[in-house]
Amino acid sequence: MTVDGWLADTRTSYDTVAVSYAHLVRDFLAQAPYERAALALFADLVRARGGGPVVDVGCGPGRITAHLNGLGVAAFGIDLSPGMIAVARQDHPELRFEVGSMTDLDLADGSVAGLVAWYSLIHIPDERLGQVLAHFRRVVRPGGPLLVGFHIGDETTHKTEGYGGHPMNLRVHRRRPAQVAAWLRDSGFAVEAEMTVVSPESKLGGITFGRREP
């Protein structure tokens, strides 16, 4: 896989902070009832269409993957960072985790019943989002649900340190829900619901439910 500079920086940054990041976010969902409700609804939507494998893209240390499995969904995780995948496999040895990039998603067409991108699009530049969402549409079965979480705002910031003071070198893109919805529609997803949340995950977060158009 040819890795762009920003992609390599993102991978290296999360390799560096993997252990401290996992420790920091471990209990976030316990403090986020609305985000738990969104994930529960997503699980219900998957089951309503007969179930099947669900991919958590940008899974980090695997906490969302594990939560979905606890809701009765056959979820597996993919992340760019080998360090994050190592932590995920250690913390959740019973689950499947793979190293991979959402810019070149190595999954077969129509192979998953649903897809979650939980605050994992935040490092993707605007000009690459179309490519990423095209992969999402390709791998999700027609009619399958999509759940996207993101930080709301208009600015891009350069993150040079984080999660215990470790050095990082990546950009965090905050976006407006209307823009995210427009990108999803342009990529072949129907937008079915949107919500705004304040939680440990985000000072102002957006959660959007989509469905893969036929």
Side-chain angles (χ1 to χ4, degrees), residues 58 72-73 82 90 99 104 138 146 151 176 178 184 193 205:
V73 174
Q90 177 180 307
V99 176
D104 188 19
R138 178 182 61 79
L146 171 79
H151 299 305
R176 292 292 171 185
L184 289 173

Side-chain angles (χ1 to χ4, degrees), residues 24-124:
L24 176 68
V25 304
R26 193 178 308 278
D27 297 322
F28 273 10
L29 274 182
Q31 306 167 55
Y34 297 103
E35 291 176 331
R36 292 199 309 273
L39 290 164
L41 175 55
F42 174 82
D44 287 344
L45 294 171
V46 171
R47 284 192 294 268
R49 295 194 62 83
V54 165
V55 61
D56 176 13
V57 181
C59 66
R63 64 195 176 92
I64 301 300
T65 319
H67 186 78
L68 288 169
N69 273 271
L71 294 172
V73 174
F76 65 99
I78 294 177
D79 199 272
L80 179 67
S81 162
M84 285 290 189
I85 291 298
V87 172
R89 288 171 175 167
Q90 177 180 307
D91 288 353
H92 311 287
E94 74 284 4
L95 301 181
R96 169 186 165 195
F97 295 100
E98 301 173 359
V99 176
S101 174
M102 66 179 71
T103 61
D104 188 19
L105 201 52
D106 188 17
L107 295 173
D109 296 1
S111 59
V112 297
L115 185 150
V116 173
W118 193 253
Y119 294 93
S120 59
L121 295 175
I122 62 173
H123 305 303
I124 305 293

